[in-house]
Amino acid sequence: MRVSVPTIPHVVTTASSTPILPAVAVERIAQFLSPGNVTLLTGAGVSVDSGIRAYRGKDGRYMNPNYQLRSYLGYPPVRDALPNTTHCALAALQYTSHISRLITQNVDGLHKKAIAHVWDDDLISKRILELHGSLHRVHCSHGHVVDRDTFQEWLSAHNPYWKDYVVGLEATGQKPRTNPDGDVELEGVSYDDFVVPECPQCALEGRHNTNQKPAVIFFGESIPVVVRNRSSGLLHKISLKNISTPHRLHDVERSDRFFVVGTTLATFSAFRLVQHAVKLGKPVLLLNVGPTRGDEITASNVMWDVVRTILGTRVAADPVIVDLLNKGIYNPPSDG
């Protein structure tokens, strides 16, 4: 793995190909984060050590009926995934308020899971913004929302063959190749008999509607205006349940610095946040993890050392930090 900490704005147009030593990376990141009031942007690279591959496919559109089956099979591994050591190190810095706000491109919910035992739901909703939505909720085309586990139960009831297939996978310990969007790659499978149930709320309203999808943003879809505006700070007067209060709707603008971890900024929704921070004159730092021919350096090792450097003796004295730094798995996908 390569840890690269290039400067901004050069990273907006070019990528650094020169890795730096871990100790230098730790020192530079610690100096950057120590003053606090940092907004953090994370991407799929952060969740790789939880067993979730760093890839967002371009063909995962819910309008394709094949996606529903692939998503049905792919959700359990995402649901059962645990925060890794990087999630927990970042959560420690959220707890100490060095990282004031977190924006994630990931839809796996692992940032929330990492700090759920420390913060209540209200604080989590104010401090963590899921830019591309969440796999843990499902909504129909008329806006009715249901939790994903309930939707999975509906799908199982309507598709007993595929329910048995999932049970068989779990019994043998097999795990299908799951993408970050929560679907799996299947070959030689017929999708014709997979049934998507009607939305029960629509049925109560006298409407037949099987158009239901996970509450995530796929390629080709637009991020809701309220989410986009909260992330960048283009809107200041709006009140939204489940989003945040008005003074929280400008995560980039309210921060003093912008830290980017585990993303190539390939999606414009993320790239524009870096552009916005640069335009505002805010210091921006990128910690990028990718393949190299040299020695392996994991982001988790770097962030652990960053936390210890910033917090000093508090690392051993504060039971919450001790707990967070002793949590976290390291379970990268076996096939890369």
Side-chain angles (χ1 to χ4, degrees), residues 177-198:
R177 181 184 177 90
T178 303
N179 293 319
D181 284 335
D183 65 341
V184 299
E185 298 179 4
L186 297 175
E187 295 181 0
V189 171
S190 173
Y191 301 89
D192 295 339
D193 60 350
F194 191 75
V195 178
V196 179
E198 292 188 4

Side-chain angles (χ1 to χ4, degrees), residues 93-318:
L93 294 176
Q94 290 178 272
Y95 165 69
T96 60
S97 295
H98 287 86
I99 295 174
S100 304
R101 301 159 197 85
L102 188 153
I103 303 169
T104 183
Q105 300 173 78
N106 301 338
V107 295
D108 50 42
L110 289 175
H111 282 298
K112 290 184 174 181
K113 190 180 288 188
I115 205 165
H117 65 295
V118 179
W119 288 352
D120 60 26
D121 291 343
D122 182 61
L123 187 56
I124 288 175
S125 70
K126 292 177 179 178
R127 299 290 184 88
I128 299 177
L129 177 64
E130 295 173 318
L131 192 63
H132 294 153
S134 171
L135 283 170
H136 300 285
R137 299 185 304 276
V138 173
H139 62 77
C140 78
S141 56
H142 289 272
H144 300 127
V145 181
V146 65
D147 71 89
R148 182 61 180 269
D149 287 336
T150 298
F151 186 67
Q152 290 285 112
E153 292 174 0
W154 295 349
L155 291 173
S156 294
H158 284 79
N159 300 275
Y161 169 81
W162 289 108
K163 177 184 178 182
D164 292 341
Y165 181 82
V166 171
V167 171
L169 288 177
E170 294 177 345
T172 58
Q174 298 181 57
K175 292 184 179 181
R177 181 184 177 90
T178 303
N179 293 319
D181 284 335
D183 65 341
V184 299
E185 298 179 4
L186 297 175
E187 295 181 0
V189 171
S190 173
Y191 301 89
D192 295 339
D193 60 350
F194 191 75
V195 178
V196 179
E198 292 188 4
C199 170
Q201 287 298 116
C202 285
L204 290 174
E205 297 169 1
R207 183 189 304 111
H208 296 288
N209 182 20
T210 61
N211 193 346
Q212 302 181 80
K213 59 160 282 191
V216 300
I217 307 300
F218 296 111
F219 277 91
E221 296 181 328
S222 298
I223 291 177
V225 173
V226 294
V227 174
R228 184 174 69 244
N229 290 340
R230 169 179 164 176
S231 64
S232 61
L234 303 179
L235 187 64
H236 301 278
K237 294 181 179 179
I238 191 166
S239 180
L240 278 172
K241 179 176 66 174
N242 299 328
I243 294 294
S244 191
T245 51
H247 65 286
R248 298 290 182 185
L249 297 178
H250 35 94
D251 290 354
V252 173
E253 291 187 354
R254 290 205 62 183
S255 66
D256 294 325
R257 296 161 181 256
F258 196 62
F259 185 38
V260 183
V261 179
T263 175
T264 60
L265 303 175
T267 61
F268 184 69
S269 57
F271 178 75
R272 68 188 291 274
L273 296 179
V274 176
Q275 283 185 315
H276 193 56
V278 171
K279 181 180 179 181
L280 294 172
K282 297 181 183 296
V284 181
L285 192 67
L286 173 68
L287 170 61
N288 190 39
V289 182
T292 181
R293 295 178 181 175
D295 296 334
E296 289 195 350
I297 305 169
T298 65
S300 59
N301 289 341
V302 171
M303 289 312 304
W304 273 6
D305 288 341
V306 167
V307 172
R308 292 185 174 95
T309 300
I310 292 175
L311 301 184
T313 57
R314 189 175 176 185
V315 167
D318 190 319

